[in-house]
């Protein structure tokens, strides 16, 4: 009667040592908890069949194709582990070839890019008033993500050891960055205030409900849904920031400063060769200007 969740925990524990960093294990845990847990988590692993696997995958197969395909592979691996461990028998209901490929659309034809709708930068100050009236760790994480123009995963995984509150600097190590390079983020005064109000109950700045676990991506998305904006994603606020950088008359910062703020590599190799620094001083001014705009202190 071992459950799917118990098998998932055992599988992750068995393979954690072979994964290159802790982020990989947390990605497994978060996606399984978010999308599979409520449907099959508490079920005996022997009872998980094709219909249940499709029930897990179908809601996100079209809109979050990349996430859904990774989830399918993870479920398949866990069910394989359960079979080898004698907790279930028969073929794997999460296998793709000759099986789920007949029930679900080809993910390659659906497209690999997940679209992240952006909040119009001209309306951001009004949104921030609403956001800051909400309580909870997830709401503060969304606020911090907007102020720092970071990915959701970078914020959810933020550790106190990475942050110099007094120096107003957040240094994300290379292993937690998509580009694989250390990224220093100057913190505006509102971002520092968020940190000062967060209780240090864990190594994580924005801890989840369970000790030692990060917030799930869905926790941040739920904040936006409760604000009646299910069409907007946390990632989309990076596009909001980029739009403000490009179009706002209040922003006179050069393009390379804005690109560094987003941890983007400069597309021109010659230009990049002359910009080997991370423009921290200029980015400090940029992020404070952005924070002032978010607070409605400057317009345009």
């Amino acid at each position: 009667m071992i459950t799917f969740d118990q098998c998932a925990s055992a599988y992750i524990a068995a393979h954690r040592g072979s994964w290159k960093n802790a982020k990989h294990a947390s990605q497994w845990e978060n996606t399984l908890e978010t999308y599979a847990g409520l449907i099959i988590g508490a079920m005996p692993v022997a009872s998980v069949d094709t219909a249940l696997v499709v029930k897990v995958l179908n809601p996100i197969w079209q809109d979050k194709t990349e996430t859904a395909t990774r989830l399918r592979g993870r479920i398949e691996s866990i069910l394989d582990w359960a079979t080898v461990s004698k907790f279930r028998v028969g073929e794997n209901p999460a296998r793709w070839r000759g099986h789920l490929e007949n029930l679900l659309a080809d993910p390659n034809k659906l497209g690999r890019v997940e679209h992240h709708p952006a909040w119009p930068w001209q309306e951001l100050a009004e949104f921030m008033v609403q956001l800051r009236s909400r309580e909870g760790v997830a709401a503060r994480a969304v606020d911090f993500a907007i102020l720092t123009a970071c990915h959701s995963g970078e914020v959810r995984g933020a550790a106190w050891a990475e942050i110099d509150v007094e120096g107003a600097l957040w240094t994300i190590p290379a292993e937690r960055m998509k580009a694989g390079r250390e990224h220093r983020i100057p913190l505006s005064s509102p971002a520092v205030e968020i940190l000062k109000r967060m209780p240090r109950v864990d190594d994580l700045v924005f801890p989840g409900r369970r000790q030692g676990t990060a917030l799930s991506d869905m926790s941040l998305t739920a904040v936006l849904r409760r604000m009646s904006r299910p069409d907007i994603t946390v990632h989309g606020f990076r596009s909001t920031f980029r739009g403000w950088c490009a179009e706002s008359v209040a922003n006179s910062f050069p393009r390379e400063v804005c690109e560094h703020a987003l941890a983007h590599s400069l597309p021109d190799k010659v230009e990049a060769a002359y910009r080997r620094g991370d423009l921290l001083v200029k980015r400090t001014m940029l992020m404070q200007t952005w924070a002032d705009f978010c607070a409605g202190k400057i317009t345009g």
Side-chain angles (χ1 to χ4, degrees):
M1 296 297 291
I2 188 172
T3 67
F4 177 84
D5 275 350
Q6 289 172 323
C7 289
S9 296
Y11 179 91
I12 293 170
H15 291 81
R16 191 185 297 270
S18 63
W19 291 334
K20 61 181 182 180
N21 57 53
K23 180 181 177 180
H24 192 64
S26 67
Q27 287 173 339
W28 272 69
E29 291 167 342
N30 288 336
T31 53
L32 289 166
E33 179 182 358
T34 300
Y35 302 108
L38 290 176
I39 298 174
I40 61 174
M43 294 190 64
V45 71
S47 300
V48 177
D49 58 14
T50 300
L52 286 169
V53 173
V54 171
K55 186 177 181 180
V56 170
L57 298 174
N58 207 40
I60 60 171
W61 195 257
Q62 299 281 339
D63 298 329
K64 297 185 176 182
T65 306
E66 184 176 350
T67 298
T69 54
R70 289 177 181 173
L71 177 63
R72 184 209 62 78
R74 289 166 185 172
I75 293 173
E76 182 180 17
S77 295
I78 291 164
L79 295 180
D80 276 344
W81 179 92
T83 300
V84 173
S85 301
K86 309 296 184 183
F87 294 125
R88 60 175 290 122
V89 295
E91 292 194 271
N92 194 319
R95 67 192 186 280
W96 179 252
R97 290 189 179 278
H99 191 60
L100 290 184
E101 66 176 349
N102 298 309
L103 299 174
L104 297 167
D106 185 340
N108 295 316
K109 293 182 179 179
L110 290 174
R112 297 182 180 179
V113 178
E114 296 182 20
H115 298 286
H116 302 280
W119 189 277
W121 64 266
Q122 298 90 339
E123 303 172 14
L124 186 60
E126 181 181 353
F127 170 83
M128 295 300 285
V129 171
Q130 299 175 36
L131 175 63
R132 287 168 178 173
S133 70
R134 307 191 73 86
E135 297 181 354
V137 175
R140 299 291 71 75
V142 173
D143 195 343
F144 194 76
I146 294 171
L147 289 171
T148 56
C150 282
H151 290 96
S152 167
E154 292 159 4
V155 171
R156 290 184 290 108
W160 287 112
E162 300 172 355
I163 295 174
D164 176 3
V165 176
E166 296 304 318
L169 187 67
W170 176 23
T171 304
I172 308 178
E175 59 267 21
R176 288 216 309 114
M177 291 297 299
K178 185 176 181 181
R181 296 190 301 272
E182 180 184 275
H183 183 44
R184 296 195 299 168
I185 302 171
L187 300 173
S188 61
S189 51
V192 170
E193 283 304 310
I194 290 175
L195 295 174
K196 288 182 177 179
R197 293 197 302 268
M198 293 300 299
R200 298 201 182 195
V201 297
D202 204 325
D203 293 336
L204 296 170
V205 178
F206 303 103
R209 292 183 179 180
R210 291 184 297 175
Q211 183 73 22
T213 62
L215 286 169
S216 70
D217 191 37
M218 284 300 294
S219 297
L220 274 62
T221 301
V223 174
L224 302 176
R225 289 181 177 175
R226 287 193 292 270
M227 296 175 71
S228 301
R229 288 309 302 260
D231 56 317
I232 301 297
T233 67
V234 176
H235 185 96
F237 285 104
R238 282 170 57 85
S239 297
T240 302
F241 172 77
R242 193 64 189 90
W244 173 78
C245 286
E247 301 173 19
S248 172
V249 295
N251 183 354
S252 58
F253 293 90
R255 177 179 65 97
E256 62 268 19
V257 177
C258 300
E259 291 300 311
H260 269 298
L262 291 164
H264 286 170
S265 298
L266 293 173
D268 188 309
K269 292 184 179 179
V270 175
E271 182 181 8
Y274 285 96
R275 303 287 183 181
R276 295 192 184 279
D278 63 0
L279 306 174
L280 185 65
V281 174
K282 291 183 178 180
R283 287 195 293 115
T284 299
M285 294 186 286
L286 168 65
M287 301 316 290
Q288 186 60 51
T289 304
W290 168 243
D292 290 343
F293 174 77
C294 290
K297 295 180 179 179
I298 58 175
T299 59

